Amino acid sequence: MTNIERHTYDVVVIGAGGAGLRAAIEARLAGKKTAIISKSLFGKAHTVMAEGGAAAAMGNVNSKDNANVHFCDTMRGGKFLNNFRMAELHAQESPARIWELETYGALFDRTKDGKISQRNFGGHEYPRLAHVGDRTGLELIRTLQQKIVSLQQEDNEEFGDYEARLRVFDECTITEVFLDGGKVSGCFGYIRESGEFVVFEAPAIVLATGGVGKSYKVTSNSWEYTGDGHALALRAGATLINMEFLQFHPTGMVWPPSVKGILVTESVRGDGGVLRNSEDKRFMFDYVPDVFRQQYAETEEEADRWYDDQENNRRPPELLPRDEVARAINAEIKAGRGTASGGVYLDVSTRMPAEVIKRKLPSMYHQFKELADVDITKQPMEVGPTCHYIMGGVEVDPDTTAACVPGLFAAGEVSGGMHGSNRLGGNSLSDLLVFGKRAGEYASAHASATKRVTVADSAVAAAAETALAPLERGESCENPYRLQQELQQVMGDLVGLIRTRTELEGSLTRLAGLKERIAKVGVTGGRRYNPGWHLALDLRNMLVVSEATARAALEREESRGGHTRDDFPAMRPEWRCINLVCTLADQSIGLTRKPVPAMRPELLRLFKRAELTKYLTEEELAEFDAIAGQGSEN
Amino acid sequence: MGTDRHFRVWRGNEAGGELKDYQVEVNEGEVALDVLHRIQATEEPDLAVRWNCKAGKCGSCSCEINGKPRLACMTRMSTFEETETVTVTPIRTFPIVRDLVTDVSFNYAKALAMPAFKPPGELAPGEYRMQQVDIERSQEFRKCIECFLCQTICHVIRDHEENKEAFSGPRLFIRAAELDMHPLDARSDREEFAQAAQGLGLCNITKCCTEVCPEHIKITDNAIIAMKERVVDERFDPLVRLGRKIFRRDRRQPASTK
């Protein structure tokens, strides 16, 4: 116990991706002593994988764009299950968050008149994504990283210490959040390099840990994505919502097998790429659902004209929201019209000159050339769905990002509600900036209003014991790598893109079996940089989050966004009003139903009645009619 | 179908270590990182290797493969003969932590000492205007994924611990060049800083850094030589010196800064 490092901070931010870094910047700007906990090296977070761009209605390319249009697109994309207030704040504030990055040194691609260029993306009515080629996430993380460095330099000038008010703890993993009298008092973790433990005393903690994709075999996510923040929140008594909604990105690589799942950016389609099956048919025209019929082209000719003339033509169906495209690709493959490697073709080679492809999609060009021996300027790519993003996460107050546990905040992928049942591409990078900033701001305010907190030695001892258990059990017990593979198999096979009752029930039985075995996981080796030990500790997070997803998926008897039930294939308006809230009790997930917050009348009026009839219940429509009547009288 | 390959992987810590032999299955399309993961999953659960994205985007899995600094995730096994022994060692320029993991904090310390972007005071957020052609040089350097392969190959510090204090290395030279060429950066002393505090003069342009860069950034030609030329201009060209005094570069309107 005596050798455990202890630190005291005002705000501890767990996670060093876009949301975490933006939160930390805001907390530091508010004058708070802030710690950033990074599971990897500083600047390596999963945000670097984001390719396409950050959605913000700046109207630089099409001046008709504005926050209301962005709000409506986001709600449509999420099939109206979104927390409307989050979607509203996001649409309103994302332009300012992007412009702010330029003052930190970001260099986005430009329009002819020197403004930030914006590109088309699925579900966005106008070109809206600020981008840097197809490496926008890297630009974001590097910009925020460099802003943090600049703040540390200011502190060095003022205090003679770079880390006086802002310190990065890299390669550090948090395993417990501590409470004192029901409020956050700190957290516990280990330093990868030394294997030593570390305790942070802090009245405010921001969870910014990203997603859960590593519970799936075919995923675009890295090893870090083990649902740590989701699990920490549950264990601290907070709630999760929308956990049944996972986004399977329609285009992951499918060949060679070792790279299966690696992301192929949606920009490929935004910039003109088309999907074809093995019969060379551009099949997306067959998969435009009724709710989107009016906005999408019916012929290839119209779709192709749209790239040059968006006023007089409708969008190509390749640019439907991701859930629609993923299901369509899945259906084509199931119908026997897939490629030999189990994908479909995504082609830019016949659509753009080689030079344009290399300029607009440099990372994709290199990725395929170097990993698959495919020259995308000459050949089509082969792609298929890959687990990419979880819409569900910590239930938060939309304005403050506060979870129901005082002192706990969440921003970015780990939070829930903003994206409803399906996230639009490009809304993630803007989400993490908008709500990262808000999390930093309100965590700081909470820290200011809270007296000094302490962490009890007994709590630290218990956390240390839990963390050391796998090492003490040793090799003869369950192997963490095997358990992870089995968990990935269960989730991929039984809780994947298309779900049914029997498979979901089967998944819960299998997960219960895994739970017993994960409790007995054992590892060899010492405490210094031991990946087997780290995985053993991540497994319990992966398991509890997987259980939340499986339980919620079994409960929701409809298909909506990132949740498709083969046995309930239609969207059901009565389910639109319901959020499934996950809690943890006795190491098991419990579910309760809670109404989705009702949109304010002026926001509801942004939609046409004909569109709302596809989503709302009869009673809700009656209310809308009453409101609309009032609106016209005013 | 899979083939059985011979791998040698360095295992140990700062006190010392050795190459250990492994016979490992290798399947079609696999990269060196897949093989390291297979060794972890089947034989050595505690084999330390740093990785994240497995797609050449994060720059975490830098190591030396048959003596050459590479990203393990972008090194395809098909580039080796089936009978060839593949030797994986940690990057040599930085202290060992364990196995293939090294302490790369040198790079972060040098980044901390590098003056950050200085925004133009007279422009509010949203008012920045730059032409694409004017930012492309800086954008090339911002492709850097911080894998530090250029740092590890650079002979100024690779076997010369004593140079580390005075030398920031290619990664930071492209950062200096990026800021120097940024159309709106309000500082005008980037070249002087690179020369005086980063040790730009120690580089004798052997281009090793450019060769190992997985992002194909032309580090030497586009950043280092460009910066060296600018340093010479600034220092020795009397007109440039006079111009700087008269026009006070740092007070000029941003549109005409560069």
Side-chain angles (χ1 to χ4, degrees), chain A residues 356-542:
Chain A
V356 176
I357 295 170
K358 285 188 203 170
R359 181 166 48 81
K360 286 193 166 179
L361 303 165
S363 304
M364 290 303 105
Y365 176 74
H366 286 295
Q367 186 171 309
F368 274 88
K369 192 116 180 109
E370 287 170 30
L371 291 174
D373 279 331
V374 167
D375 182 346
I376 68 167
T377 67
K378 298 195 176 84
Q379 299 161 267
M381 297 161 250
E382 279 183 71
V383 296
T386 178
C387 178
H388 184 56
Y389 188 90
I390 185 155
M391 272 65 74
V394 181
E395 186 182 25
V396 291
D397 175 78
D399 289 79
T400 64
T401 78
C404 64
V405 175
L408 193 65
F409 300 80
E413 189 172 351
V414 70
S415 69
M418 157 71 207
H419 304 288
S421 69
N422 172 55
R423 175 176 69 80
L424 292 183
N427 270 1
S428 173
L429 291 183
S430 42
D431 166 16
L432 56 82
L433 292 171
V434 167
F435 293 102
K437 177 189 182 288
R438 284 182 165 268
E441 185 180 337
Y442 288 96
S444 299
H446 178 87
S448 298
T450 309
K451 288 196 206 101
R452 199 184 143 80
V453 292
T454 50
V455 171
D457 285 347
S458 58
V460 174
E465 193 182 320
T466 306
L468 288 172
L471 283 167
E472 274 155 18
R473 280 191 288 267
E475 190 176 17
S476 58
C477 290
E478 296 279 355
N479 177 309
Y481 296 95
R482 192 171 310 128
L483 289 170
Q484 184 191 28
Q485 280 168 12
E486 288 185 36
L487 177 68
Q488 290 172 339
Q489 200 75 45
V490 171
M491 293 307 284
D493 291 349
L494 306 177
V495 199
L497 176 61
I498 311 288
R499 302 156 177 180
T500 67
R501 166 177 294 283
T502 46
E503 289 185 350
L504 290 167
E505 284 169 348
S507 78
L508 287 167
T509 311
R510 299 274 302 274
L511 289 173
L514 279 168
K515 188 185 287 182
E516 285 176 24
R517 292 170 59 200
I518 285 172
K520 287 184 251 164
V521 64
V523 292
T524 53
R527 283 170 63 171
R528 294 193 59 190
Y529 219 110
N530 182 345
W533 179 38
H534 305 153
L535 177 58
L537 296 177
D538 288 342
L539 277 172
R540 64 174 183 153
N541 297 341
M542 297 168 77

Side-chain angles (χ1 to χ4, degrees), chain A residues 40 42 44 49 51 107 109-110 114 139 143 153 171 222-224 258 367 370 373 481 528-529, chain B residues 14 29 34 45 47 50-54 57-58 76 98 108 112 114 130 132 139 142 145-146:
Chain A
S40 291
F42 188 30
K44 304 297 184 195
M49 296 290 285
E51 292 162 351
L107 282 172
D109 288 350
R110 316 308 294 184
E139 185 69 14
T143 299
Q153 289 171 346
E171 298 203 306
S222 79
W223 71 273
E224 299 179 287
S258 74
Q367 186 171 309
E370 287 170 30
D373 279 331
Y481 296 95
R528 294 193 59 190
Y529 219 110
Chain B
E14 76 277 19
D34 290 314
L47 170 65
R50 208 179 250 140
W51 72 286
N52 260 37
C53 74
K54 203 177 170 291
K57 290 190 167 63
C58 76
R76 296 188 71 190
R98 227 185 122 239
Y108 291 94
L112 203 52
M114 163 103 219
M130 294 175 267
Q132 183 64 34
Q139 280 187 327
R142 289 185 74 82
I145 58 173
E146 299 203 325

